Amino acid sequence: DAKTTQPPSMDCAEGRAANLPCNHSTISGNEYVYWYRQIHSQGPQYIIHGLKNNETNEMASLIITEDRKSSTLILPHATLRDTAVYYCIVRSSSRDDKIIFGKGTRLHILP
Amino acid sequence: GAVVSQHPSWVICKSGTSVKIECRSLDFQATTMFWYRQFPKQSLMLMATSNEGSKATYEQGVEKDKFLINHASLTLSTLTVTSAHPEDSSFYICSASLPSGGGFNTGELFFGEGSRLTVL
């Protein structure tokens, strides 16, 4: 079973920040939080990941709570091309550790 | 950047035939690859873990004789859907991790573009 829970869907106005929450209350000390997104009929795309500290890259920011039981992915200025299903995943850093996908959050960007 | 490529991107076949899907890591070696399937409006479901030089590890409920996985080299894993039937029609996706160190992100997993199988 997936170790994360996410809201099934969210709406966000174009140009505004999209904040996608994720709960992972059973996360282990060696597990990272990864975010991927899947645009229709494509393979998932890596967005960002983190262990304890907040992270930022050219795509998004990741805010992880101090107890690591939840996190928020922030898309600072959402565009229509950000419409996708966003998956929050917890996984160790081992390259052999498999990823179990939850149902994700379907993000709709409204023009 | 690292890329995982699948071929074919889509395939249509007759019921009873077998279909092979290839997954390649283009600029890195992948000792482990993962195969997923996805039905419309559903999440990805892990089918099996493909291990280079050894047998694949299948998830519960996935028929190993139906979905043959071969990982003969460090850059290629194949999934063969044997005696395909319409219920096998799905989107099949593979993935592989970069090795740790050497400037690569820790444990980052890359996914192929997916292969859409339609069985008539």
Side-chain angles (χ1 to χ4, degrees):
Chain A
D1 291 340
K3 299 180 181 179
T4 62
T5 56
Q6 300 175 251
S9 66
M10 291 183 65
D11 292 338
C12 178
E14 189 178 15
R16 302 296 293 270
N19 297 278
L20 292 89
C22 178
N23 287 320
H24 32 80
S25 58
T26 60
I27 191 170
S28 300
N30 68 337
E31 289 181 320
Y32 288 71
V33 180
Y34 289 82
W35 282 83
Y36 290 82
R37 72 181 183 183
Q38 186 179 27
I39 297 171
H40 182 61
S41 295
Q42 297 182 24
Q45 175 191 22
Y46 167 83
I47 300 173
I48 198 168
H49 77 284
L51 182 63
K52 292 187 292 187
N53 300 322
N54 298 336
E55 302 287 344
T56 296
N57 63 20
E58 64 278 4
M59 289 183 68
S61 295
L62 174 60
I63 308 298
I64 303 174
T65 58
E66 192 169 340
D67 63 7
R68 302 211 321 127
K69 292 185 177 181
S70 65
S71 60
T72 301
L73 177 74
I74 301 173
L75 307 178
H77 304 288
T79 70
L80 295 177
R81 288 183 294 180
D82 293 322
T83 295
V85 178
Y86 288 76
Y87 295 99
C88 167
I89 292 152
V90 295
R91 176 178 182 255
S92 79
S93 62
S94 167
R95 64 186 301 189
D96 299 331
D97 193 17
K98 57 190 178 185
I99 282 185
I100 304 298
F101 282 82
K103 297 183 178 181
T105 296
R106 187 171 296 274
L107 178 65
H108 301 276
I109 305 300
L110 307 175
Chain B
V3 177
V4 174
S5 180
Q6 284 183 239
H7 177 81
S9 56
W10 59 271
V11 57
I12 300 172
C13 70
K14 293 182 179 180
S15 185
T17 61
S18 294
V19 175
K20 180 185 286 186
I21 300 169
E22 295 184 346
C23 178
R24 295 182 184 273
S25 56
L26 295 185
D27 49 8
F28 66 99
Q29 294 182 337
T31 56
T32 303
M33 292 184 175
F34 304 97
W35 286 95
Y36 295 83
R37 67 187 298 183
Q38 185 176 34
F39 293 109
K41 297 191 183 298
Q42 294 187 21
S43 185
L44 285 77
M45 185 195 78
L46 180 65
M47 300 175 67
T49 302
S50 173
N51 305 299
E52 188 269 336
S54 65
K55 292 182 178 180
T57 305
Y58 290 82
E59 295 298 303
Q60 190 174 9
V62 178
E63 301 174 58
K64 61 180 181 180
D65 295 329
K66 173 75 172 177
F67 301 99
L68 299 178
I69 291 173
N70 183 281
H71 195 154
S73 79
L74 287 172
T75 59
L76 174 64
S77 174
T78 60
L79 169 68
T80 301
V81 183
T82 62
S83 187
H85 287 92
E87 58 266 30
D88 298 323
S89 298
S90 188
F91 193 51
Y92 293 88
I93 306 168
C94 71
S95 67
S97 270
L98 293 175
S100 296
F104 293 125
N105 290 323
T106 305
E108 185 175 329
L109 199 65
F110 286 89
F111 290 82
E113 313 94 325
S115 300
R116 186 164 301 284
L117 170 63
T118 301
V119 185
L120 303 177

